[in-house]
Amino acid sequence: EYMAPEQRRGRPCPRSDLYSVGRIAHELITGELPPRGWPEHGGRVHPRLRPHGLDAWLAKALAEDREHRF
């Protein structure tokens, strides 16, 4: 559940870990894992993320394209 898309395809890179950290952070804050492809594929932002501005940070960490991550 925490593996980056490129890692699932057998092509991990250092940014793959950022994706995993983003999924773990989302789960710790909200109590649930984000859906795959969130938020790029129309997923809604969990209410617990908005007040702290974490939605933008997690969106960058969870970008499907590793080139769009930190």
Side-chain angles (χ1 to χ4, degrees), residues 44-59:
R44 65 179 184 81
V45 174
H46 195 285
R48 289 188 183 167
L49 300 176
R50 287 180 199 251
H52 306 291
L54 294 171
D55 53 340
W57 185 88
L58 284 170

Side-chain angles (χ1 to χ4, degrees), residues 13-69:
C13 73
R15 291 181 182 183
S16 300
D17 291 338
L18 296 172
Y19 183 89
S20 299
V21 167
R23 287 189 62 84
I24 291 167
H26 188 286
E27 185 177 23
L28 287 171
I29 296 164
T30 66
E32 56 193 52
L33 284 168
R36 289 275 176 199
W38 175 90
E40 295 171 342
H41 302 297
R44 65 179 184 81
V45 174
H46 195 285
R48 289 188 183 167
L49 300 176
R50 287 180 199 251
H52 306 291
L54 294 171
D55 53 340
W57 185 88
L58 284 170
K60 188 158 179 90
L62 294 172
E64 292 285 311
D65 183 345
R66 63 184 174 194
E67 297 300 320
H68 293 141
R69 293 184 209 137

